[in-house]
Amino acid sequence: FHCCCFLISILLLQQVKMPPLLARPPDGGWGWVVAGSAFVVNGLSYGLLRSLGLALPAFAEYFDRSTQDTAWVSAIALAVQQAASPVGSALSTRWGARPVVMVGGIITSLGFILSAFASSLLHLYLGLGLLAGSGWALVFAPALGTVSRYFSRRRVLAVGLALTGNGVASLLLAPVLQLLLDAFGWRGALLLLGATTLHLTPCGALLRPLALSGDPTTPPHSPLNALGLTLFTHPAFAVFALGTTLVGAGYFIPYVHLAPHALDLGLGGYGAALVVAGAAVGDAGTRLVSGWLADGGWIPLPRLLAMTGALTGLGLVAVGLVQEQEEEWGGTLLAAAGAYGMSAGAFAPLVFGVLPGLVGLGSILQATGLVMMLMSLGGLLGPPLSGFLRDVTGDFKASFLFCGSFILSGSFIYLMLPGALPRCHSAPPPPTPPPEQGELLPSPESTLASPNDPHSIPNTTC
Amino acid sequence: MRFSLGARGFPLPLSILLFVAAPCFSKGTITDVNFTTQAVTEATVEMAEENVTSSSYPELIPMEVTLLVIETSDAVVEKNVTIGNPASIELKCNFSTTQPLQYVNVYWTKGNDQLNRTSSMRVLENILQAHIRLTVTDKMHMDNYSCVFEATKERKGTFHFKVPEIYTKEKPLVNYERDSAVLNCNSKNYVPLEWMWYTSNGSEKVPIDIMMKNKYEILPSKYNETKLKIKHLQATESGLYWCHAIFHLGESEGKQNLKVLSYLVPLKPFLAVTAEVVILVTGIFLYELYSKRRQTATESGKDFEQVEQLKSEDHNGVDKKNQRTRHRKSDVNMN
């Protein structure tokens, strides 16, 4: 009886002390504005980075250097952006996503503006690679993490919507960048891209902070906690991290090597461009479909993640197995690339969408940053290894089989996530949980899921 | 590898053939003997090629071009033949016909004139092959050559002899004042004897004075390309530039448009967009402030109404009031 009294009094005390928070994400309203802002952020970071390749020949010509030398500009920017993402998340857990994204926008813009006055390729490595790259690192993970915080039932759809920004922007920005290059040369184009990337700052301003119950009460002070490295002690997240690193090793290879593979198979320049566009359109299209499917709650997210991952791997294996093409437009390769693109697009929002169920909404920002870093670990390793295989074997067949099998093995590891496999206990949980209960709600208990929690035990027995 | 070989002007199999054959040709000249021994010891294909392109011909590049002319089709049969260096060319026309071959008459033309050389003939099943060998060593020889078959109908196939084309960037090159620009031309697989640069002076071409070291510089490059660097650009230097390639058998040129802009040109849209961004950010924050104020204002207004309601209708009012206050508190928290 005393115990009971004690507990009740503690609960009451807590209610008095704690400021009243939103019990659960608003699932709409301003959330859609946040999703739209993340869409633009994604477009102005990844989409722009993809289109930046168009400016590389101009750099090569002006500085009289090889294409390989100039390719390092994009490579450094991508590496810095991915590797520094946890820093962006850490800063935004400390100070909130809004100021971090706004400052990130200004840094990115500065990187472009300074690069416009470059007098050597080194200046471009520093300006576009280091400065713009670290600016991008500050904007992407916090913006995407904020979307996750605003949504619960429609989370994967909202994340998928934000992630389509990449594809839409690369379709839009590529011709715009070409126009800028033709009209103003690379210096003028970089200057104006500096003005364009400055739009990241108003996007950041739109990310109104949101206080949810389940958030840590005080911002973390030690850098280790701020980066969220303690998340690795959490078994479900550790499994997820291992799987994601493996997937990352294969995931970015088609970005780099699909076009040369198509050319190797005897397709013309336009045929190869068609294949790449086919993969990109498939990719953009299924991001929303997968979000809708995931939010329907018919299939547990980890299972959906493993399934789409496996499909992506199989698609890449198919791309690798396509024989030399007879017809100019390469129908078989186009079909295989389209299938790959569609499954890769379905996979992308799930990687981020599955996180709240694994770590809770309180650590979502750090977890997003860590996932990006993990994928980049694999991403840095994959393409050079695939290029090496191409040099040894003479074609890209081995490269694609290799990256396909990496993604397949990553998906296999995802099967150890809670809920990925149908249970074989005598009393199975309802197979189609209603959306509200389909994921762990952001209560403090779920944030620190203990090993006793049935959800976090890797279900390896089935 | 393939590119560097191709750049010397003829396909790989031919150059290997030349390399093998080199000792036989070079018996006469002492310098060549010297060279071939070196080439043999080093055993590099490039060496042998260097020899062929740099030496003045007796060594003609052997070439062979074939056309197929079909009697029943009246489509125009023609082919461009690019010749960079003096060559010994074998032209072949395969004539596919159902006629008995002895009724077919064949002759060759150069331009509009009939060649008075008799054509060699060969019969392969129902195909009649006519072939002649031409030695192309002079500009005079660069013309259109046709094989003409007279059967029930007259059919001909035409070879257009062309000097190698020069490739440049089609789009104008955009640069800024006080900066420098590099103009670039290349002749793909053919190596010209010399490159020249011209600029336009209103209506006519003026050769560029490469001796002006502080203005122009020819950058080191491969033999099949030329790079002209123009320093300290001025807006007045916009316009067309021509690169001129002189080959053994003729001349060819490419043009490149240069646009020199002032930094003010992109600065104006840059400032406009930056101003737009500043307005957007202030707009977003003002809207947030405004919407919050309105929210609190309407809520306090409703609270007031509620107090009125509370007086009349007790039970219901209390519930509503609780809800409202909770809302307001969460707003405070959001700030």
Side-chain angles (χ1 to χ4, degrees):
Chain A
F1 179 73
H2 278 282
C3 249
C4 229
C5 267
F6 184 64
L7 273 176
I8 289 170
S9 61
I10 281 182
L11 275 174
L12 280 173
L13 266 174
Q14 268 199 330
Q15 252 189 338
V16 172
K17 265 188 185 171
M18 292 262 285
L21 305 167
L22 287 182
R24 43 176 302 119
D27 242 330
W30 191 256
W32 292 117
V33 177
V34 172
S37 145
F39 174 92
V40 178
V41 166
N42 188 10
L44 286 180
S45 53
Y46 277 95
L48 183 55
L49 191 55
R50 266 194 191 181
S51 320
L52 206 59
L54 284 171
L56 298 185
F59 299 154
E61 193 181 10
Y62 182 86
F63 294 112
D64 198 19
R65 299 284 284 272
S66 70
T67 334
Q68 214 174 352
D69 287 346
T70 53
W72 279 103
V73 174
S74 318
I76 293 174
L78 186 66
V80 169
Q81 173 187 19
Q82 298 264 35
S85 275
V87 178
S89 322
L91 291 174
S92 64
T93 2
R94 181 75 182 78
W95 282 292
R98 165 141 56 181
V100 173
V101 175
M102 289 180 73
V103 170
I106 292 172
I107 293 178
T108 310
S109 174
L110 264 180
F112 273 91
I113 294 168
L114 290 179
S115 300
F117 301 96
S119 55
S120 78
L121 206 52
L122 180 70
H123 295 166
L124 287 182
Y125 290 159
L126 292 176
L128 286 182
L130 210 60
L131 208 55
S134 37
W136 277 327
L138 294 185
V139 297
F140 184 71
L144 204 64
T146 312
V147 176
S148 285
R149 287 171 62 80
Y150 264 89
F151 287 89
S152 146
R153 276 189 307 115
R154 295 183 184 145
R155 181 176 300 131
V156 190
L157 180 65
V159 169
L161 179 75
L163 288 182
T164 28
N166 182 348
V168 172
S170 44
L171 286 179
L172 247 158
L173 279 174
V176 168
L177 179 55
Q178 193 57 60
L179 275 176
L180 288 180
L181 283 169
D182 288 350
F184 299 108
W186 65 267
R187 289 186 190 275
L190 287 185
L191 190 67
L192 291 175
L193 284 183
T196 313
T197 46
L198 201 57
H199 282 91
L200 288 166
T201 302
C203 287
L206 288 173
L207 304 174
R208 288 188 190 170
L210 184 69
L212 295 171
S213 62
D215 289 348
T217 40
T218 49
H221 286 288
S222 88
L224 218 72
N225 285 342
L227 286 171
L229 293 179
T230 46
L231 282 172
F232 284 113
T233 57
H234 190 297
F237 187 77
V239 166
F240 178 76
L242 181 62
T244 306
T245 314
L246 284 173
V247 168
Y251 197 79
F252 294 105
I253 290 175
Y255 279 58
V256 191
H257 287 152
L258 185 56
H261 177 55
L263 291 173
D264 264 15
L265 288 181
L267 265 69
Y270 283 102
L274 187 67
V275 166
V276 173
V281 167
D283 185 308
T286 45
R287 289 184 183 216
L288 286 175
V289 176
S290 133
W292 169 79
L293 191 68
D295 292 336
W298 300 294
I299 310 167
L301 284 190
R303 194 179 304 165
L304 204 57
L305 180 75
M307 277 163 52
T308 52
L311 281 177
T312 310
L314 290 176
L316 282 179
V317 169
V319 168
L321 288 179
V322 169
Q323 297 296 316
E324 196 118 345
Q325 295 291 294
E326 290 297 321
E327 66 274 58
E328 178 65 15
W329 57 288
T332 335
L333 185 62
L334 184 62
Y340 145 74
M342 285 168 73
S343 17
F347 177 80
L350 292 170
V351 172
F352 298 105
V354 80
L355 284 177
L358 295 177
V359 300
L361 280 182
S363 344
I364 185 69
L365 291 176
Q366 292 135 314
T368 307
L370 284 177
V371 165
M372 296 193 53
M373 189 188 66
L374 290 172
M375 288 198 84
S376 79
L377 268 183
L380 284 178
L381 194 82
L385 207 54
S386 144
F388 171 74
L389 278 178
R390 155 79 165 83
D391 291 343
V392 170
T393 61
D395 57 27
F396 281 107
K397 194 173 179 175
S399 312
F400 276 88
L401 295 184
F402 150 86
C403 71
S405 53
F406 258 93
I407 296 183
L408 279 174
S409 53
S411 316
F412 191 70
I413 297 214
Y414 284 147
L415 287 180
M416 294 200 292
L417 288 175
L421 287 173
R423 290 176 182 244
C424 49
H425 297 305
S426 48
T432 54
E436 288 89 341
Q437 291 150 30
E439 60 193 15
L440 303 176
L441 282 177
S443 56
E445 288 87 347
S446 75
T447 332
L448 303 163
S450 65
N452 299 336
D453 186 350
H455 285 275
S456 61
I457 295 173
N459 199 352
T460 46
T461 47
C462 300
Chain B
M1 185 67 179
R2 190 188 286 173
F3 177 73
S4 72
L5 286 175
R8 293 295 166 206
F10 33 86
L12 179 58
L14 282 179
S15 41
I16 289 170
L17 199 126
L18 272 176
F19 169 61
V20 174
C24 319
F25 287 129
S26 53
K27 269 176 194 161
T29 51
I30 298 156
T31 46
D32 270 354
V33 170
N34 215 356
F35 175 76
T36 30
T37 47
Q38 193 191 5
V40 169
T41 48
E42 299 225 358
T44 54
V45 180
E46 280 96 14
M47 277 299 203
E49 287 197 321
E50 204 75 41
N51 176 35
V52 173
T53 42
S54 60
S55 70
S56 61
Y57 46 92
E59 282 148 71
L60 297 170
I61 298 163
M63 287 174 79
E64 191 183 298
V65 200
T66 310
L67 275 182
L68 177 63
V69 182
I70 299 169
E71 191 190 19
T72 50
S73 148
D74 57 353
V76 180
V77 182
E78 55 187 355
K79 201 176 233 175
N80 286 337
V81 183
T82 306
I83 309 170
N85 287 304
S88 163
I89 299 184
E90 176 138 43
L91 300 180
K92 288 183 181 173
C93 284
N94 290 337
F95 184 60
S96 157
T97 176
T98 48
Q99 294 274 316
L101 298 177
Q102 59 268 34
Y103 296 124
V104 181
N105 184 29
V106 187
Y107 64 92
W108 288 81
T109 62
K110 171 180 190 273
N112 294 324
D113 311 324
Q114 186 169 340
L115 285 177
N116 44 16
R117 288 171 53 179
T118 49
S119 172
S120 317
M121 308 283 271
R122 201 179 295 158
V123 178
L124 315 148
E125 291 178 26
N126 58 344
I127 284 178
L128 179 67
Q129 187 180 68
H131 54 111
I132 54 168
R133 181 169 285 280
L134 297 171
T135 308
V136 184
T137 52
D138 192 87
K139 278 180 200 173
M140 301 276 290
H141 301 143
M142 301 297 278
D143 209 329
N144 301 333
Y145 294 85
S146 303
C147 51
V148 185
F149 295 91
E150 286 176 327
T152 45
K153 284 170 191 159
E154 193 184 272
R155 292 275 178 254
K156 72 172 184 177
T158 308
F159 301 87
H160 303 282
F161 283 17
K162 291 269 165 73
V163 180
E165 259 184 87
I166 303 301
Y167 298 86
T168 55
K169 246 181 70 168
E170 278 171 34
K171 286 173 179 162
L173 198 69
V174 183
N175 276 71
Y176 289 86
E177 285 175 339
R178 293 186 297 282
D179 198 3
S180 57
V182 177
L183 304 175
N184 198 335
C185 286
N186 86 77
S187 50
K188 289 262 167 82
N189 297 334
Y190 302 92
V191 181
L193 299 173
E194 203 184 336
W195 286 103
M196 312 265 279
W197 281 93
Y198 294 87
T199 179
S200 57
N201 174 20
S203 54
E204 54 187 306
K205 289 184 198 172
V206 186
I208 278 176
D209 182 10
I210 309 166
M211 301 319 284
M212 289 169 67
K213 293 281 185 212
N214 56 347
K215 190 72 199 170
Y216 301 111
E217 189 187 339
I218 300 287
L219 297 180
S221 61
K222 293 182 198 130
Y223 291 119
N224 66 340
E225 63 181 349
T226 174
K227 290 177 179 174
L228 173 71
K229 183 174 187 175
I230 309 176
K231 299 175 215 172
H232 315 293
L233 287 171
Q234 289 160 15
T236 49
E237 285 167 326
S238 299
L240 283 176
Y241 288 78
W242 285 270
C243 57
H244 207 82
I246 300 167
F247 293 93
H248 275 292
L249 302 170
E251 292 170 8
S252 187
E253 70 180 11
K255 69 175 177 199
Q256 172 85 73
N257 198 351
L258 176 69
K259 268 199 323 196
V260 182
L261 296 180
S262 152
Y263 270 106
L264 291 176
V265 176
L267 199 63
K268 281 176 199 164
F270 172 80
L271 289 177
V273 176
T274 311
E276 177 243 47
V277 169
V278 171
I279 292 169
L280 264 180
V281 174
T282 31
I284 287 166
F285 280 117
L286 283 178
Y287 172 73
E288 196 170 330
L289 271 178
Y290 166 76
S291 61
K292 253 175 212 162
R293 260 194 211 150
R294 200 180 54 176
Q295 221 172 338
T296 35
T298 48
E299 266 174 22
S300 58
K302 274 181 187 164
D303 275 358
F304 180 71
E305 276 169 34
Q306 247 158 26
V307 177
E308 299 288 300
Q309 258 187 344
L310 215 144
K311 280 174 186 166
S312 56
E313 209 181 299
D314 253 345
H315 188 72
N316 206 4
V318 171
D319 264 355
K320 270 191 185 169
K321 197 191 168 194
N322 273 346
Q323 267 179 355
R324 289 273 146 68
T325 40
R326 210 182 295 145
H327 267 295
R328 204 159 8 122
K329 272 185 186 169
S330 71
D331 274 349
V332 169
N333 189 284
M334 272 164 91
N335 289 330

